[in-house]
């Protein structure tokens, strides 16, 4: 089979169009939803407070509604994360980006990490993307986290919240090696150019979390960026 060339890659289906600024407004959310529909992005990723409105804006349209759970630190209690996830699904979210408890991971409490993700998956039945925050982990911890989250039902492993550094080609390659294509890989944080996006996809990313989706598409098409 011929190796895929980056020139053949359509970026739009990879993009989770993210609006996770603490100052995000409903007007901005509506614009992000319109962008996602216009460019056929995979999803919009917005704060839980706007899930209901995003679901209404994208009703019957291709992009999915994704929200974040336990964002950005992952240190809320499991009961709080579970409630947040269940409410988000009730409001229309079908994808949940869940920040894992990094303190538990660092302490070797892998059963607790597994249980938390598994409870959310079992209760919602939706697509779970486990946020690993790879910039804060050793390679060994990344491997442990990946294995545990896959076993717990995560459909994707997500590199980062973006607070502590973004996605790297090295981390995507490591996750691809561990997952062996059993789950998706979402590269997120700091993706600002077409070159970066394509490098991450070529390394194994199956989703890209970025707030610059429309700009990336326009740049790829050689159009003037607004």
């Amino acid at each position: 089979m011929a190796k895929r060339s980056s020139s053949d890659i359509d970026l739009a289906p990879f993009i989770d169009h993210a609006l996770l600024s603490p100052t995000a407004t409903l007007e901005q959310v509506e614009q992000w939803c319109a962008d996602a529909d216009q460019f056929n992005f995979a999803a919009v990723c917005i704060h839980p407070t706007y899930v209901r409105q995003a679901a209404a804006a994208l009703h019957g349209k291709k992009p999915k509604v994704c929200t974040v759970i336990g964002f950005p630190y992952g240190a809320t209690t499991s009961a709080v994360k579970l409630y947040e996830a269940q409410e988000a699904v009730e409001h229309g979210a079908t994808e949940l980006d869940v920040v894992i408890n990094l303190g538990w991971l660092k302490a070797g409490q892998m059963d607790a990490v597994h249980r938390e993700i598994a409870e959310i998956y079992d209760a919602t039945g939706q697509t779970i993307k486990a946020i690993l925050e790879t910039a804060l982990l050793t390679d060994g911890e990344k491997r442990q986290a990946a294995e545990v989250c896959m076993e717990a039902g995560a459909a994707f492993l997500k590199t980062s919240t973006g607070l502590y550094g973004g996605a790297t080609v090295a981390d995507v390659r490591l996750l691809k090696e561990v997952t062996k294509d059993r789950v998706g890989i979402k590269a997120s944080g700091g993706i600002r150019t077409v070159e970066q996006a394509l490098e991450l996809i070529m390394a194994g990313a199956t989703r890209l979390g970025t707030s610059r989706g429309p700009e990336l598409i326009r740049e790829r098409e050689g159009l003037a960026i607004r």
Side-chain angles (χ1 to χ4, degrees):
M1 181 182 296
K3 186 175 180 180
R4 179 171 61 171
S5 167
S6 62
S7 63
D8 298 328
I9 295 172
D10 179 7
L11 284 180
F14 287 87
I15 291 175
D16 281 6
H17 193 27
L19 179 61
L20 295 172
S21 164
T23 60
T25 66
L26 177 56
E27 182 179 6
Q28 288 175 307
V29 169
E30 290 172 342
Q31 182 60 57
W32 254 242
C33 290
D35 290 341
D37 181 41
Q38 176 185 347
F39 293 102
N40 291 313
F41 292 151
V44 291
C45 186
I46 38 85
H47 286 298
T49 192
Y50 294 123
V51 166
R52 195 190 297 274
Q53 293 92 332
L58 291 172
H59 180 70
K61 301 181 185 300
K62 182 179 177 181
K64 299 181 184 301
V65 176
C66 171
T67 194
V68 286
I69 305 298
F71 191 83
Y73 301 119
T76 47
T77 66
S78 294
V80 169
K81 285 184 182 176
L82 180 60
Y83 179 85
E84 187 175 31
Q86 289 175 311
E87 182 182 57
V89 171
E90 289 172 4
H91 290 174
T94 59
E95 298 192 349
L96 306 171
D97 287 16
V98 182
V99 187
I100 68 170
N101 189 307
L102 296 166
W104 289 346
L105 176 64
K106 291 283 186 181
Q109 296 174 257
M110 307 312 293
D111 286 348
V113 176
H114 182 285
R115 182 171 58 251
E116 185 170 87
I117 295 295
E119 285 178 350
I120 293 171
Y121 173 67
D122 291 343
T124 65
Q126 300 300 322
T127 297
I128 307 298
K129 305 193 200 90
I131 305 178
L132 308 186
E133 204 68 277
T134 50
L136 300 182
L137 305 181
T138 66
D139 283 356
E141 289 166 342
K142 293 167 196 173
R143 292 176 184 276
Q144 280 186 302
E147 292 286 1
V148 166
C149 291
M150 284 192 294
E151 291 172 4
F156 288 81
L157 301 177
K158 179 176 173 180
T159 60
S160 326
T161 60
L163 289 185
Y164 303 101
T168 67
V169 167
D171 280 340
V172 170
R173 284 178 178 156
L174 182 149
L175 293 176
K176 184 170 176 63
E177 177 190 334
V178 174
T179 62
K180 296 179 172 63
D181 296 323
R182 288 174 286 171
V183 299
I185 298 170
K186 179 175 174 178
S188 182
I191 304 171
R192 305 195 62 78
T193 69
V194 168
E195 182 181 12
Q196 280 178 296
L198 294 174
E199 286 178 349
L200 291 164
I201 293 170
M202 294 296 287
T206 57
R207 289 281 186 93
L208 303 174
T210 177
S211 62
R212 300 192 73 252
E215 289 86 351
L216 293 177
I217 299 302
R218 293 187 184 106
E219 181 184 337
R220 185 73 188 282
E221 294 174 346
L223 301 177
I225 300 173
R226 286 188 303 189

